[in-house]
Amino acid sequence: MKMTREMWEQVKYFHPYRENSPDNFGDPLAIEQELVFNLDLFRIRICRPVLIHCGTDKEHSGTGQHPLGRAVDCHVAGVDLLDMFLAAERIGFKGIGVYQWGLHLDVRVGGIARWCKLSKTYLPLEAKYMDVLRRIYQYKGG
């Protein structure tokens, strides 16, 4: 279900209709409700502001999750990528991509996808590595 103006009023940390909002969701009414409320939970878990770089912008592939309103690219200043990744994993985002600048987070329909991009190469984050990351997160008290 797509967001409505009324639903945006229920969101605690993201306010694309406010003047000078730092968040770039693109069209706020084209964003999926599940994505926005997961982002709010992510913000609560990470305990820092989450900056949204892009949502439904035109720069992304027409076949990806962004044009469908199911994805954002974001970062959290002062939080390392592993902690961001593990917090996003804990919230239940179905797609998580790790980049040098931050994360791609999505609520795709269907299976789970995990990847990282090093230089110009996309690499899958395989299940065996995910188990190790989950253990690290539990050890850190996540």
Side-chain angles (χ1 to χ4, degrees), residues 82-83 86 129-142:
L82 179 59
D83 286 335
L86 293 170
Y129 301 120
M130 298 306 300
D131 289 338
V132 171
L133 292 174
R134 286 185 193 103
R135 284 191 210 118
I136 291 168
Y137 189 69
Q138 289 171 348
Y139 176 77
K140 289 178 79 174

Side-chain angles (χ1 to χ4, degrees), residues 3-12 14-15 17:
M3 291 293 287
T4 64
R5 263 187 111 88
E6 292 77 26
M7 286 180 193
W8 278 108
E9 306 231 351
Q10 298 172 23
V11 177
K12 185 169 184 176
F14 301 97
H15 305 284
Y17 290 108

